[in-house]
Amino acid sequence: MTKFNTFALALGFSASSALAGGYVAPVVEVEPVIVDTRPASTNAGLVIPALLLLGVIAAVASDDDDDASDT
């Protein structure tokens, strides 16, 4: 009976230390995602006036006003 008590006592000590604390789920640190919400700078305000200026230059350059050849 003494051997059984010693075995039971040893088993009881080893079982309690093996299960001490239980399971703890790992904590995952998540870094916040920074989203750039600024609109892209495309200088769209300069494109339309530049095209209009090119159109005016083309119209002036192609203006054929030959009054001397009409007479």
Side-chain angles (χ1 to χ4, degrees), residues 13-43:
F13 282 136
S14 66
S16 64
S17 64
L19 298 177
Y23 175 74
V24 177
V27 177
V28 178
E29 297 282 335
V30 178
E31 293 185 19
V33 177
I34 299 173
V35 178
D36 189 14
T37 57
R38 292 183 295 143
S41 176
T42 60
N43 292 333

